[in-house]
Protein backbone atom coordinates (compact mmCIF):
# COMPACT_ATOMS: atom_id res chain seq x y z
CA UNK A 1 0.00 0.00 0.00
CA UNK A 2 1.12 3.53 -0.73
CA UNK A 3 0.98 6.77 1.21
CA UNK A 4 -1.47 9.02 -0.64
CA UNK A 5 -3.02 12.45 -0.27
CA UNK A 6 -6.67 13.23 -0.91
CA UNK A 7 -8.80 16.37 -0.86
CA UNK A 8 -11.63 16.43 1.66
CA UNK A 9 -14.33 19.05 2.15
CA UNK A 10 -16.70 19.36 5.10
CA UNK A 11 -19.68 20.72 3.18
CA UNK A 12 -21.87 23.68 4.28
CA UNK A 13 -24.56 21.50 5.89
CA UNK A 14 -22.06 19.80 8.21
CA UNK A 15 -20.26 23.06 9.04
CA UNK A 16 -23.65 24.60 9.92
CA UNK A 17 -24.45 21.63 12.18
CA UNK A 18 -21.16 22.15 14.09
CA UNK A 19 -19.76 18.79 12.97
CA UNK A 20 -16.22 19.75 11.90
CA UNK A 21 -14.64 18.29 15.02
CA UNK A 22 -16.56 15.03 14.90
CA UNK A 23 -15.68 14.57 11.24
CA UNK A 24 -12.00 15.38 11.85
CA UNK A 25 -12.02 12.83 14.70
CA UNK A 26 -13.08 10.13 12.27
CA UNK A 27 -10.20 10.96 9.92
CA UNK A 28 -7.71 10.90 12.78
CA UNK A 29 -9.12 7.68 14.26
CA UNK A 30 -8.61 6.04 10.86
CA UNK A 31 -4.96 7.09 10.80
CA UNK A 32 -5.36 9.90 8.27
CA UNK A 33 -3.23 12.97 8.99
CA UNK A 34 -4.46 16.50 8.23
CA UNK A 35 -1.59 18.15 6.31
CA UNK A 36 -3.44 21.30 5.16
CA UNK A 37 -6.72 22.95 6.16
CA UNK A 38 -8.69 26.16 5.67
CA UNK A 39 -12.22 27.46 6.06
CA UNK A 40 -13.51 29.14 2.92
CA UNK A 41 -16.68 30.80 1.71
CA UNK A 42 -16.51 29.57 -1.90
CA UNK A 43 -17.46 31.89 -4.73
CA UNK A 44 -19.80 30.58 -7.40
CA UNK A 45 -16.86 30.53 -9.82
CA UNK A 46 -14.74 28.47 -7.42
CA UNK A 47 -17.53 25.95 -6.84
CA UNK A 48 -18.31 25.69 -10.56
CA UNK A 49 -14.64 25.13 -11.33
CA UNK A 50 -14.25 22.52 -8.62
CA UNK A 51 -17.24 20.49 -9.84
CA UNK A 52 -16.68 21.24 -13.56
CA UNK A 53 -16.70 17.51 -14.33
CA UNK A 54 -20.43 17.55 -13.48
CA UNK A 55 -21.39 20.70 -15.43
CA UNK A 56 -23.66 18.87 -17.87
CA UNK A 57 -25.49 16.96 -15.11
CA UNK A 58 -29.04 17.97 -14.14
CA UNK A 59 -28.03 18.52 -10.50
CA UNK A 60 -25.11 20.87 -11.29
CA UNK A 61 -26.79 24.20 -10.47
CA UNK A 62 -28.27 22.88 -7.23
CA UNK A 63 -24.89 21.40 -6.28
CA UNK A 64 -23.09 24.71 -6.86
CA UNK A 65 -25.77 26.71 -5.00
CA UNK A 66 -25.50 24.35 -2.05
CA UNK A 67 -21.69 24.50 -1.97
CA UNK A 68 -21.79 28.32 -1.71
CA UNK A 69 -24.64 28.41 0.82
CA UNK A 70 -22.16 28.77 3.71
CA UNK A 71 -18.51 28.22 4.57
CA UNK A 72 -16.81 24.92 3.91
CA UNK A 73 -13.81 23.38 5.65
CA UNK A 74 -11.25 22.14 3.14
CA UNK A 75 -8.42 19.78 4.09
CA UNK A 76 -5.80 17.51 2.64
CA UNK A 77 -5.63 14.08 4.27
CA UNK A 78 -2.51 11.95 4.07
CA UNK A 79 -2.06 8.27 4.85
CA UNK A 80 -2.05 4.70 3.59
CA UNK A 81 -4.57 4.44 0.73
CA UNK A 82 -5.97 7.82 1.82
CA UNK A 83 -8.21 8.23 -1.23
CA UNK A 84 -10.11 4.95 -0.80
CA UNK A 85 -9.99 5.12 2.99
CA UNK A 86 -11.62 8.57 3.00
CA UNK A 87 -14.32 7.37 0.59
CA UNK A 88 -15.06 4.47 2.95
CA UNK A 89 -15.24 6.77 5.98
CA UNK A 90 -17.61 9.09 4.05
CA UNK A 91 -19.94 6.34 2.81
CA UNK A 92 -22.12 6.25 -0.31
CA UNK A 93 -23.11 9.50 -2.07
CA UNK A 94 -26.75 9.02 -1.00
CA UNK A 95 -26.91 8.95 2.82
CA UNK A 96 -29.87 6.57 2.59
CA UNK A 97 -27.56 4.02 0.93
CA UNK A 98 -24.53 4.73 3.12
CA UNK A 99 -23.42 2.10 5.63
CA UNK A 100 -24.02 2.67 9.32
CA UNK A 101 -21.11 4.40 10.99
CA UNK A 102 -20.12 6.41 7.93
CA UNK A 103 -20.13 10.21 7.89
CA UNK A 104 -22.93 10.46 5.35
CA UNK A 105 -25.09 7.87 7.11
CA UNK A 106 -24.62 9.47 10.50
CA UNK A 107 -24.60 13.18 9.64
CA UNK A 108 -26.38 13.78 6.30
CA UNK A 109 -30.01 13.62 5.28
CA UNK A 110 -30.05 13.83 1.48
CA UNK A 111 -27.95 13.20 -1.62
CA UNK A 112 -27.97 16.95 -2.27
CA UNK A 113 -26.62 17.88 1.17
CA UNK A 114 -24.34 15.01 2.04
CA UNK A 115 -21.87 16.44 4.56
CA UNK A 116 -18.54 15.65 2.90
CA UNK A 117 -16.58 15.52 -0.32
CA UNK A 118 -13.65 13.22 -1.05
CA UNK A 119 -11.49 12.85 -4.15
CA UNK A 120 -12.32 9.68 -6.08
CA UNK A 121 -8.98 8.76 -7.73
CA UNK A 122 -5.27 9.69 -7.66
CA UNK A 123 -5.61 11.94 -10.72
CA UNK A 124 -8.56 13.90 -9.33
CA UNK A 125 -6.93 14.10 -5.89
CA UNK A 126 -3.85 15.77 -7.38
CA UNK A 127 -5.92 18.26 -9.39
CA UNK A 128 -8.24 19.07 -6.46
CA UNK A 129 -5.38 19.55 -3.98
CA UNK A 130 -3.65 21.97 -6.33
CA UNK A 131 -6.98 23.74 -7.00
CA UNK A 132 -7.29 24.78 -3.36
CA UNK A 133 -3.75 24.67 -1.95
CA UNK A 134 -1.46 25.31 -4.93
CA UNK A 135 1.78 23.44 -5.42
CA UNK A 136 3.31 24.14 -2.00
CA UNK A 137 0.39 24.65 0.39
CA UNK A 138 0.91 21.38 2.26
CA UNK A 139 2.68 21.02 5.64
CA UNK A 140 5.01 17.99 5.52
CA UNK A 141 4.36 15.68 8.46
CA UNK A 142 7.62 14.13 9.53
CA UNK A 143 6.29 12.69 12.80
P1 LIG B 1 -18.43 14.31 -3.93
O1 LIG B 1 -17.78 14.52 -5.28
O2 LIG B 1 -19.11 15.55 -3.41
O3 LIG B 1 -17.46 13.73 -2.95
O4 LIG B 1 -19.59 13.22 -4.07
P2 LIG B 1 -19.48 11.81 -4.80
O5 LIG B 1 -18.14 11.62 -5.42
O6 LIG B 1 -19.93 10.78 -3.81
O7 LIG B 1 -20.60 11.96 -5.93
P3 LIG B 1 -20.49 12.63 -7.37
O8 LIG B 1 -21.03 11.66 -8.35
O9 LIG B 1 -19.10 13.15 -7.60
O10 LIG B 1 -21.50 13.84 -7.29
C1 LIG B 1 -21.12 15.08 -6.70
C2 LIG B 1 -22.25 15.57 -5.83
O11 LIG B 1 -23.36 15.84 -6.65
C3 LIG B 1 -24.57 15.51 -5.95
N1 LIG B 1 -25.32 14.52 -6.69
N2 LIG B 1 -26.61 14.57 -6.78
N3 LIG B 1 -29.30 14.03 -7.41
C4 LIG B 1 -28.35 13.20 -7.82
O12 LIG B 1 -28.61 12.20 -8.44
C5 LIG B 1 -26.99 13.51 -7.50
N4 LIG B 1 -25.94 12.83 -7.87
C6 LIG B 1 -24.87 13.47 -7.34
C7 LIG B 1 -24.18 14.96 -4.60
O13 LIG B 1 -24.30 15.97 -3.65
C8 LIG B 1 -22.73 14.56 -4.80
O14 LIG B 1 -22.01 14.61 -3.58
MG1 LIG C 1 -17.26 13.07 -6.67
Amino acid sequence: MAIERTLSIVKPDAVAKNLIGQIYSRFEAAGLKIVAAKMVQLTREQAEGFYAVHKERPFFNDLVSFMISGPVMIQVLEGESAIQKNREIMGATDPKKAAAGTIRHDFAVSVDENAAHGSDAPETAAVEIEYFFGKDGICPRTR
Side-chain angles (χ1 to χ4, degrees):
M1 286 195 292
I3 301 291
E4 295 175 337
R5 287 175 179 165
T6 190
L7 189 91
S8 160
I9 301 178
V10 180
K11 293 186 179 181
D13 58 323
V15 173
K17 291 179 197 162
N18 242 7
L19 293 169
I20 295 170
Q22 290 191 61
I23 290 173
Y24 272 29
S25 292
R26 292 178 181 217
F27 299 149
E28 293 182 335
L32 294 173
K33 295 177 177 178
I34 296 163
V35 295
K38 59 182 173 184
M39 182 174 274
V40 181
Q41 171 62 57
L42 295 176
T43 65
R44 183 168 291 277
E45 291 68 31
Q46 278 178 308
E48 286 175 350
F50 182 71
Y51 277 121
V53 66
H54 294 309
K55 67 176 181 296
E56 305 303 333
R57 310 285 289 278
F59 56 78
F60 180 70
N61 285 337
D62 287 344
L63 174 60
V64 169
S65 294
F66 164 60
M67 289 300 288
I68 65 173
S69 66
V72 294
M73 196 72 200
I74 310 176
Q75 46 283 328
V76 177
L77 307 177
E78 181 180 272
E80 290 277 354
S81 305
I83 297 165
Q84 178 62 24
K85 193 178 277 185
N86 181 42
R87 298 286 298 192
E88 288 170 11
I89 294 167
M90 285 167 42
T93 306
D94 184 348
K96 295 182 182 68
K97 297 177 184 158
T102 61
I103 289 169
R104 284 166 165 170
H105 174 277
D106 293 352
F107 299 139
V109 290
S110 75
V111 69
D112 303 307
E113 303 200 0
N114 59 4
H117 162 83
S119 308
D120 59 10
E123 300 73 27
T124 48
V127 171
E128 292 176 359
I129 289 168
E130 188 167 342
Y131 189 80
F132 284 122
F133 292 98
K135 285 216 180 293
D136 52 8
I138 311 295
C139 287
R141 292 277 298 261
T142 54
R143 50 180 286 188

